[in-house]
Amino acid sequence: MKNYDVIVIGAGIIGLSTAYRAQKAGAKVLVLDAGATAYEASSRATGYLSLRGETPAESPLAQEAERLWDGLDDELGYPTEWTQKGRIWAAMNERELDELKELYKTFSKTSIPFEFLDGDSMRKLIPCLSPDCLGGIWTNRSGHANPQRTSQAFAWAFTDLGGEIREYTPVLEILTEGGKVKGVRTPEGEIHCARIALCAAAHNTLLLKPLGIHFPLAPVRLEALVTTPMPPLFEQAFIGNGLSIRQTKRGNIHMNGGPYEWVDLEIGKEAAKPNTPIVRNILRRAIEAMPVLKGAQFLRSWAGIIDIAPDQMTTIHRFNNPEGLVTAACSGHGFGMAPSAGIAVAELLLEGKTRMPIDQLSLDRFKNTPPDWRERRNWQAGQYNT
Ligand SMILES: Cc1cc2nc3c(=O)[nH]c(=O)nc-3n(C[C@H](O)[C@H](O)[C@H](O)COP(=O)(O)OP(=O)(O)OC[C@H]3O[C@@H](n4cnc5c(N)ncnc54)[C@H](O)[C@@H]3O)c2cc1C
């Protein structure tokens, strides 16, 4: 049986970013995925980088990601469509205006330049914004990219370096021996390695459970859609009316929105991801926010599953037992985080420490989280986060 220095479980953007960095550092890396490369959340995302002003513990890692995003096309050698034109939060009614004023107070405690604007100033930034917009928050920092192209860019950059991706090969079990990682069990047999990066999103919980490790993550389904190309309307990452909306480089309007449905998963199995009438609701809210979209032709829709931790923050954790295991999951904002999160995981795997600012993101913060935390929050399958 062929041996590897590192096995990465999960060919989403976190696993691919990790694999690229580890292979580049000289390790022999194998990526295993239960399905196709970046077929799950990573290619279904809207593509924003959030600077995490709302969670200061994550913000340094997000800002490090922003610095990396600026050079990512050159680094990987493939286009990501990174667009650094800022981010805007719009209030469509008085209640939302009050909520954004509260959020702005939190944002103002960070070093990121945020401004609170009235409706007219917002419409100067995005002229197609509805007259109903009462105001909101703006930063010229942050941006968005193409999720499919970026995930593919990481995958190609990794295989260009000699890395190997094996698709349709679910990991059924993480194998350990004497308190150390030994390898993985797949339907084709065991594959041995010294180190494992577990980057399987909400499936991390299921794969760690047999090792007696509790990684609290709740899987949740959310829906998205895209229009045919429209004339240039705006370049910022827009958030408003319960939606994220961006315009792609070729003009498509790409959006996602809630409410989100909590679901359950099974090891190695693809979760059902149906679209529902929520898509119509997303369209209605998009037209309310930007009336020009009434003339848009809607091209296709899809849904995806993200993984939410109890505090809705990123987790990156290196285990002492079993030695050689590192895990990561990003609570639904992993696309933007991927450039810095991948470095952190690769460095923890290969060097045992990282220069990335992740001190407050370990699993230790959940040591008092009860096993039934999902039930207590009503985050269990079939419930919506309305
Ligand atoms: C509609 C939508 C919009 C979003 N918008 C944004 C956004 O604007 N900005 C942002 O930052 N984030 C966004 N996200 C979240 C973002 O997509 C995720 O946080 C990110 O893609 C997580 O990457 P990942 O690699 O951890 O997970 P995934 O991309 O889900 O990859 C995990 C991989 O693990 C594999 N796997 C699972 N179990 C096993 C197993 N047993 N063996 C082998 N492989 C396994 C899966 O097949 C999958 O390919 C959005 C998500 C959705 C669905």
Side-chain angles (χ1 to χ4, degrees):
M1 183 66 67
K2 198 173 177 183
N3 286 298
Y4 296 85
D5 298 322
V6 172
I7 289 179
V8 176
I9 305 174
I13 196 162
I14 301 296
L16 292 168
S17 174
T18 298
Y20 167 73
R21 294 292 172 186
Q23 185 79 23
K24 195 175 174 190
K28 186 176 175 190
V29 182
L30 171 68
V31 178
L32 297 174
D33 199 285
T37 301
Y39 179 74
E40 292 293 341
S42 295
S43 58
R44 295 163 189 263
T46 301
Y48 289 5
L49 163 67
S50 165
L51 293 177
R52 306 306 297 159
E54 55 274 69
T55 47
E58 285 182 296
S59 195
L61 188 66
Q63 294 188 61
E64 189 54 31
E66 183 185 40
R67 198 185 61 74
L68 292 159
W69 270 108
D70 282 338
L72 209 57
D73 286 23
D74 290 339
E75 164 79 43
L76 301 179
Y78 299 97
T80 62
E81 299 183 16
W82 170 241
T83 305
Q84 211 278 3
K85 295 287 181 182
R87 182 168 166 119
I88 200 160
W89 289 256
M92 303 300 293
N93 55 47
E94 292 290 345
R95 181 184 54 80
E96 289 175 4
L97 196 64
D98 289 344
E99 285 170 4
L100 287 185
K101 282 180 182 161
E102 284 304 308
L103 188 61
Y104 180 65
K105 284 185 200 159
T106 311
F107 283 0
S108 302
K109 292 179 191 146
T110 69
S111 59
I112 305 159
F114 290 104
E115 283 178 64
F116 204 90
L117 303 178
D118 62 20
D120 288 340
S121 305
M122 297 280 280
R123 278 178 287 278
K124 281 201 184 104
L125 287 170
I126 301 188
C128 66
L129 195 51
S130 161
D132 293 340
C133 173
L134 301 178
I137 305 172
W138 146 252
T139 177
N140 63 4
R141 297 264 305 271
S142 179
H144 56 88
N146 181 320
Q148 278 165 326
R149 297 199 84 169
T150 306
S151 302
Q152 191 60 66
F154 271 111
W156 281 334
F158 167 62
T159 52
D160 288 349
L161 292 172
E164 189 183 339
I165 301 176
R166 221 177 281 175
E167 300 181 317
Y168 303 102
T169 309
V171 169
L172 304 175
E173 187 185 356
I174 293 172
L175 304 171
T176 64
E177 199 170 67
K180 292 184 180 171
V181 155
K182 182 183 168 202
V184 296
R185 184 169 63 82
T186 74
E188 283 85 47
E190 293 185 3
I191 310 174
H192 295 156
C193 63
R195 299 179 180 90
I196 291 176
L198 176 58
C199 305
H203 289 265
N204 289 356
T205 308
L206 303 176
L207 286 164
L208 288 172
K209 197 173 175 194
L211 302 179
I213 298 166
H214 180 45
F215 189 163
L217 290 170
V220 67
R221 182 182 60 82
L222 58 154
E223 302 190 33
L225 57 93
V226 72
T227 72
T228 56
M230 295 189 71
L233 293 170
F234 61 101
E235 293 181 284
Q236 302 89 341
F238 172 89
I239 296 178
N241 228 14
L243 306 174
S244 299
I245 310 178
R246 75 179 182 110
Q247 186 162 30
T248 69
K249 292 267 192 215
R250 69 192 63 72
N252 313 73
I253 306 293
H254 176 180
M255 63 192 87
N256 83 273
Y260 305 156
E261 186 194 5
W262 304 103
V263 296
D264 279 333
L265 302 176
E266 283 180 68
I267 283 193
K269 294 214 173 120
E270 186 190 338
K273 295 180 285 289
N275 272 124
T276 71
I278 286 174
V279 169
R280 288 208 302 269
N281 181 288
I282 291 174
L283 288 175
R284 176 184 56 73
R285 283 181 283 146
I287 292 166
E288 281 170 9
M290 296 180 186
V292 67
L293 299 183
K294 204 165 186 176
Q297 292 188 327
F298 292 93
L299 184 62
R300 65 191 172 89
S301 61
W302 63 92
I305 308 279
I306 57 173
D307 44 277
I308 306 285
D311 56 8
Q312 306 195 25
M313 292 205 309
T314 295
T315 301
I316 299 177
H317 187 93
R318 174 179 164 271
F319 296 93
N320 292 322
N321 187 6
E323 200 184 309
L325 178 64
V326 176
T327 190
C330 293
S331 274
H333 40 273
F335 177 77
M337 287 283 195
S340 52
I343 292 178
V345 178
E347 288 181 347
L348 287 174
L349 273 177
L350 301 178
E351 298 164 32
K353 57 185 177 5
T354 176
R355 66 197 142 106
M356 289 293 133
I358 57 158
D359 290 351
Q360 298 175 69
L361 304 183
S362 90
L363 259 184
D364 295 343
R365 67 188 198 272
F366 300 125
K367 50 178 186 275
N368 295 323
T369 303
D372 64 345
W373 69 280
R374 288 185 64 184
E375 287 75 13
R376 291 181 189 215
R377 291 186 179 205
N378 217 13
W379 282 15
Q380 71 270 46
Q383 302 295 322
Y384 282 82
N385 73 333
T386 47

